[in-house]
Amino acid sequence: QVQLVESGGGLVQPGGSLRLSCAASGSIFRVYTMGWYRQAPERQRELVATITNGGNTNYTDSVKGRFTISGDNAKNLVYLQMNSLKPEDTAVYYCNFKSRYSPKVDYWGQGTQVTVSS
């Protein structure tokens, strides 16, 4: 069992920045992929960014150059630095953990609201 807790969401003006954090606890696998997903009203859940235990990262095209995913393996923390925020970034952001050895190991946090508005 893995528990994920997101924090750092809030209300920000267009062009502003936020830093989201995800704290993982429980039975943490050594080989993993962690990611941030988001879901806006009336839209499907969308992958935003992923990071592996080895530090490889991937981003959806709409956030490339603006968002940075990073991690602190020793503390089981994953961050999403969000710069140059746009109204279309408004969504509930969810942290996700997947084992790269066991496809059935797939956990989600409760989500944190990000609202970009003037």
Side-chain angles (χ1 to χ4, degrees):
Q1 183 73 31
V2 176
Q3 294 80 44
L4 304 172
V5 179
E6 304 98 331
S7 62
L11 175 64
V12 65
Q13 293 183 333
S17 297
L18 285 173
R19 190 192 195 196
L20 306 183
S21 299
C22 176
S25 62
S27 300
I28 307 301
F29 288 71
R30 299 295 186 184
V31 182
Y32 63 83
T33 300
M34 294 193 70
W36 288 96
Y37 293 71
R38 65 188 181 187
Q39 187 165 15
E42 311 300 327
R43 297 189 65 183
Q44 293 291 105
R45 186 174 59 191
E46 174 191 26
L47 176 65
V48 177
T50 59
I51 186 168
T52 69
N53 57 283
N56 293 323
T57 59
N58 285 285
Y59 301 89
T60 192
D61 287 342
S62 64
V63 308
K64 287 180 179 177
R66 300 189 297 121
F67 292 8
T68 302
I69 188 170
S70 62
D72 184 337
N73 288 336
K75 297 182 178 180
N76 293 329
L77 293 172
V78 174
Y79 305 101
L80 185 67
Q81 179 66 46
M82 309 165 67
N83 298 327
S84 302
L85 283 161
K86 304 174 180 180
E88 52 262 44
D89 295 318
T90 295
V92 177
Y93 283 70
Y94 297 92
C95 183
N96 173 257
F97 176 96
K98 290 183 175 67
S99 169
R100 295 171 68 193
Y101 284 149
S102 302
K104 301 297 183 182
V105 178
D106 187 358
Y107 295 98
W108 295 87
Q110 83 288 346
T112 185
Q113 176 71 49
V114 172
T115 302
V116 184
S117 176
S118 60

